[in-house]
Amino acid sequence: MLQRISTYLYLRPRLILLLLLLPPLIWFLVVYIGALVTMLINSFFSLDSFTGQVVRQFTLQTYAKLLIPTNLQIFYRTTLMALTVTIACIIIAFPLSYYMARYASPRMKTFLFLAVTLPLWSSYVVRVYSWKLILAQEGIISWFARLLHLDGLLNWYLSFKLLGGPSLGVSLTGVFLVFVYIWLPYMILPIQTALERVPKSLIEASSDLGAKPTQTFRNVILPLAFPGVVAGSIFTFSLTLGDFIVPSLFGNSSFFIGKAVLTYQGTSGNIPLAAAFTMGPIVIMIVYLLIARRLGAFDAL
Amino acid sequence: MSESAVLFQNVSRHFGDVKAVDDVTLEIKDGEFFSMLGPSGSGKTTCLRMIAGFDRPTAGQIFLYGQDVSNLPPYERSVNTVFQDYALFPHMNIGDNIGYGLMIKGIEKKERMKQVEEMLDLVRLPGFGHRKPSQLSGGQRQRVALARALINHPKVLLLDEPLGALDLKLRQQMQVELKSIQQRIGITFIFVTHDQEEALTMSDRIAVFNEGKIEQIGTPAEIYEHPASPFVAGFVGTSNLVSGDVAKRITGSEARFSIRPEKIHLGAANGNVDEDMFHADGKVRDVIYLGLYTRYLVELEGGGDLVVIEQNLRTTSMDVMKAKNQNVRLLWKKEHVRYVGG
């Protein structure tokens, strides 16, 4: 019987393919796309401000509310934060990835790989809270600054309106630091993978043809690592765009997209506005990916 | 005597305990097509990499046209390399690949394009400039790699088993093409290969490598006809190596000698033996028909066996098979025997 079934399937490869793909397809269509579409539809509904009920009628009213200056400020702030975090992650991740891919011995590579991914084994919330201890007013950083008699410098830095605040634990700088810490592994791994795939002979060929190490880096290594950088930045960028925990814990009163969505959806039950807000990061990501494609990030795929 | 292009003086390259190259002294003349031949791990590629500058000798010195380059980085040497895997830059088109060296030198785009076109003509790929390496066949990529190296007018061109990945027909075609390009532009080619036929076809001189040392340097004819060691006799072409009792029965001395299979004549049992011939009697154990020629494995009386190759000039596959299990007398001229010692 079993053999009959396997013969039957063997002769019909398309049927096997269909059977294999059915579960992920259902999951993808219903859960992924379904949720997104529901959200998109909801963003065209509105909230009756008197009853607090969702009015299920097509309207652009919610989007009109979304695009008021305060909210645009939130988009702007979040995007800027995501961009800075991404750039900082690239700058920190690249040398380490390069070392891992080109110079580290197999043992060292395993060790570094573990070291990079180890934080991902523990809870995100626990790690974020531990940063609270590091950045707080009486936390490790201020203690260390006092020890080195640099507390003046720290206070001077915190006095800046945009970056500072009462302490590092309640400032945009704090938000930035924690974001960079949290997302760094997601940048290191794709860059390392991309660099690993660059054959040594390409680097030798470049140098053989007269290129100094800096020229080889610019003309060969960087372009070939670029898809990895873009892959990593998709993680850091989109994760920063949507996160609400870090800004809630470390931010000052200024809103980020994730925090705004949480407030509208959770606190005030304004699902249409929350849905419209969520469309923001999606649009920003689409623009981001289009720019990346323009720069040739997907040519090698 | 012409100037030496490359000079190795007691060069060694050790990787930990492994002596990849062990005290090699070698002179390659200007304008020569020089091959480094040997099995994998014999040190030939390491020698090439030291000329290119990818590896540095742990001892000894390397001179390029009189200049000590032992510690110069690759980008300060006027040599270029054709890599085994071609190493074309996948993110650049063919034109930019070939023009890479000129781009690095800061030559302006218009001049660069002109020279790239000339190079594409030289390697018979006109109009391929805008394609990507992934769109080319193995043989085409190989020619692009050659053009990319030659456009820089190197004093010495290094080729690291560049034909290894090509099929037989294409390989033979490229052998002829490489040789003719070398003769046209007249620069020194250093060619690394493990394929003895390739080395014999193209080279002016060959160095045979074994275990980090050079066994013999000479012209293809010298290497083939006068192998200096048992290793060379066995590696370049096939040889019968005979020693001990078997050798004593044939030549009257135990000294080890080699005899090429194609020099041995398969004669009738108890046939005449001329004064200038050696002979051995035996029985044909195996016959392998190979189209152009037939290979016989003959078991000698009193032990030992010899491989004999005869061209199928007048014989068919049916004829040669009849030889199996026949008693035969093997005959060869005394002058074809090489005493190889060891």
Side-chain angles (χ1 to χ4, degrees):
Chain A
M1 183 62 193
L2 210 60
Q3 196 170 1
R4 290 245 304 274
I5 295 175
S6 81
T7 313
Y8 182 83
L9 286 176
Y10 179 80
L11 296 171
R12 290 162 187 79
R14 279 170 181 278
L15 186 63
I16 299 185
L17 206 63
L18 187 71
L19 288 175
L20 281 175
L21 284 179
L22 212 54
L25 270 180
I26 291 174
W27 178 263
F28 197 72
L29 285 176
V30 175
V31 180
Y32 264 58
I33 308 288
L36 275 176
V37 170
T38 316
M39 208 164 64
L40 186 68
I41 294 171
N42 263 292
S43 70
F44 289 107
F45 294 158
S46 64
L47 194 75
D48 189 315
S49 58
F50 185 66
T51 59
Q53 296 287 318
V54 174
V55 183
R56 293 173 185 276
Q57 224 166 14
F58 179 82
T59 171
L60 289 173
Q61 205 188 321
T62 311
Y63 278 98
K65 263 189 210 151
L66 181 70
L67 299 176
I68 58 170
T70 328
N71 289 344
L72 288 180
Q73 189 74 35
I74 295 175
F75 282 126
Y76 173 68
R77 186 182 300 126
T78 313
T79 310
L80 202 64
M81 175 62 77
L83 215 58
T84 356
V85 167
T86 299
I87 290 168
C89 280
I90 294 173
I91 292 172
I92 299 173
F94 205 98
L96 182 66
S97 313
Y98 193 74
Y99 173 77
M100 282 171 80
R102 294 280 321 281
Y103 296 108
S105 65
R107 274 177 81 124
M108 189 63 177
K109 200 187 282 185
T110 316
F111 170 75
L112 286 173
F113 191 78
L114 274 176
V116 167
T117 50
L118 196 66
L120 302 179
W121 300 2
S122 66
S123 155
Y124 164 86
V125 178
V126 172
R127 281 182 293 138
V128 169
Y129 268 100
S130 65
W131 269 88
K132 198 77 190 167
L133 297 179
I134 298 172
L135 296 176
Q137 187 134 38
E138 295 300 315
I140 296 167
I141 289 189
S142 22
W143 170 78
F144 202 66
R146 260 199 312 283
L147 206 67
L148 297 173
H149 301 290
L150 290 172
D151 39 343
L153 189 70
L154 185 65
N155 287 331
W156 172 76
Y157 179 80
L158 286 172
S159 71
F160 282 98
K161 198 158 179 282
L162 190 67
L163 306 168
S167 76
L168 274 177
V170 190
S171 69
L172 284 183
T173 308
V175 175
F176 167 79
L177 287 175
V178 177
F179 269 142
V180 170
Y181 159 76
I182 294 268
W183 308 139
L184 190 59
Y186 299 98
M187 183 62 86
I188 293 175
L189 297 179
I191 297 184
Q192 194 241 344
T193 311
L195 285 172
E196 203 126 277
R197 277 169 34 187
V198 178
K200 197 166 157 233
S201 64
L202 289 188
I203 293 157
E204 288 179 348
S206 171
S207 126
D208 185 70
L209 294 165
K212 296 182 177 67
T214 47
Q215 291 172 312
T216 299
F217 185 79
R218 207 175 53 238
N219 292 310
V220 179
I221 297 170
L222 209 53
L224 291 173
F226 191 59
V229 174
V230 170
S233 71
I234 289 172
F235 288 123
T236 58
F237 196 77
S238 66
L239 289 171
T240 310
L241 278 185
D243 192 90
F244 66 92
I245 296 178
V246 174
S248 313
L249 279 176
F250 297 90
N252 43 31
S253 53
S254 41
F255 263 35
F256 281 78
I257 294 176
K259 219 168 133 187
V261 172
L262 182 73
T263 310
Y264 286 123
Q265 196 267 327
T267 319
S268 48
N270 192 344
I271 290 176
L273 189 58
F277 242 109
T278 313
M279 287 299 139
I282 294 177
V283 172
I284 294 170
M285 274 319 287
I286 290 174
V287 172
Y288 183 77
L289 290 178
L290 286 176
I291 295 173
R293 191 179 70 172
R294 198 55 186 275
L295 293 173
F298 309 118
D299 288 2
L301 296 183
Chain B
M1 200 187 105
S2 58
E3 192 186 4
S4 70
V6 178
L7 188 65
F8 274 51
Q9 247 168 21
N10 305 98
V11 172
S12 293
R13 177 68 174 103
H14 298 180
F15 297 96
D17 289 341
V18 182
K19 294 175 178 177
V21 173
D22 191 15
D23 196 24
V24 163
T25 297
L26 166 71
E27 190 196 5
I28 298 167
K29 296 190 197 91
D30 185 35
E32 196 171 30
F33 197 121
F34 191 89
S35 288
M36 296 179 173
L37 175 66
S40 50
S42 61
K44 57 192 194 307
T45 296
T46 308
C47 278
L48 194 83
R49 292 175 58 81
M50 286 194 290
I51 301 172
F54 306 137
D55 261 326
R56 272 183 235 163
T58 38
Q61 284 168 301
I62 298 171
F63 295 89
L64 263 176
Y65 289 91
Q67 185 198 6
D68 183 355
V69 297
S70 312
N71 289 307
L72 278 189
Y75 49 87
E76 284 175 16
R77 303 182 183 203
S78 53
V79 299
N80 286 115
T81 308
V82 177
F83 289 82
Q84 188 167 16
D85 62 355
Y86 316 139
L88 300 181
F89 304 121
H91 58 296
M92 297 181 192
N93 66 26
I94 298 306
D96 288 342
N97 260 288
I98 296 177
Y100 188 83
L102 301 182
M103 191 262 290
I104 292 295
K105 274 186 211 141
I107 287 166
E108 61 158 290
K109 192 161 175 104
K110 213 173 139 199
E111 172 63 20
R112 219 156 71 205
M113 298 299 274
K114 202 182 117 234
Q115 294 195 30
V116 166
E117 286 305 321
E118 287 170 13
M119 271 296 144
L120 282 170
D121 283 341
L122 179 76
V123 297
R124 298 192 291 109
L125 288 172
F128 274 63
H130 291 289
R131 300 203 195 175
K132 282 278 180 106
S134 55
Q135 295 169 307
L136 267 55
S137 72
Q140 291 169 333
R141 279 184 223 182
Q142 211 271 317
R143 296 211 286 265
V144 172
L146 185 65
R148 186 178 68 174
L150 287 177
I151 199 169
N152 304 295
H153 303 290
K155 287 180 178 165
V156 177
L157 184 75
L158 309 173
L159 302 107
D160 184 10
E161 308 215 16
L163 309 181
L166 307 180
D167 62 63
L168 182 65
K169 268 272 181 328
L170 202 53
R171 199 156 68 222
Q172 289 171 340
Q173 198 183 320
M174 281 305 298
Q175 286 170 5
V176 177
E177 208 164 313
L178 271 181
K179 180 80 187 172
S180 91
I181 287 177
Q182 191 257 345
Q183 282 167 341
R184 236 179 309 157
I185 59 180
I187 65 170
T188 313
F189 274 38
I190 302 178
F191 189 92
V192 160
T193 181
H194 62 264
D195 184 323
Q196 42 106 1
E197 192 187 307
E198 211 160 87
L200 294 173
T201 308
M202 294 187 285
S203 319
D204 296 320
R205 284 196 308 152
I206 299 172
V208 184
F209 280 75
N210 183 32
E211 292 179 347
K213 289 179 179 294
I214 293 180
E215 295 265 338
Q216 187 177 5
I217 302 180
T219 63
E222 280 166 10
I223 298 269
Y224 191 82
E225 289 174 356
H226 300 277
S229 69
F231 176 81
V232 177
F235 191 75
V236 183
T238 44
S239 277
N240 294 294
L241 274 179
V242 186
S243 59
D245 286 345
V246 185
K248 194 168 185 180
R249 273 199 302 280
I250 297 171
T251 63
S253 132
E254 283 187 12
R256 166 140 70 167
F257 70 88
S258 84
I259 177 72
R260 297 282 180 195
E262 72 272 17
K263 302 290 188 201
I264 303 178
H265 173 64
L266 201 65
N270 303 317
N272 272 343
V273 181
D274 289 339
E275 185 68 7
D276 61 344
M277 301 278 239
F278 283 131
H279 76 278
D281 293 324
K283 188 182 241 186
V284 177
R285 269 280 154 257
D286 227 332
V287 181
I288 302 166
Y289 177 73
L290 290 161
L292 189 61
Y293 54 84
T294 303
R295 191 157 63 210
Y296 304 87
L297 182 69
V298 179
E299 195 177 285
L300 300 182
E301 279 171 18
D305 40 39
L306 288 178
V307 174
V308 179
I309 288 176
E310 291 220 316
Q311 258 191 288
N312 296 319
L313 291 175
R314 281 175 290 272
T315 44
T316 67
S317 61
M318 296 300 285
D319 300 333
V320 300
M321 287 304 169
K322 287 180 195 151
K324 193 158 180 177
N325 291 326
Q326 296 290 315
N327 286 318
V328 289
R329 171 160 285 177
L330 303 180
L331 301 148
W332 62 92
K333 284 196 167 170
K334 286 180 179 169
E335 65 189 72
H336 289 143
V337 162
R338 303 285 162 236
Y339 295 94
V340 288

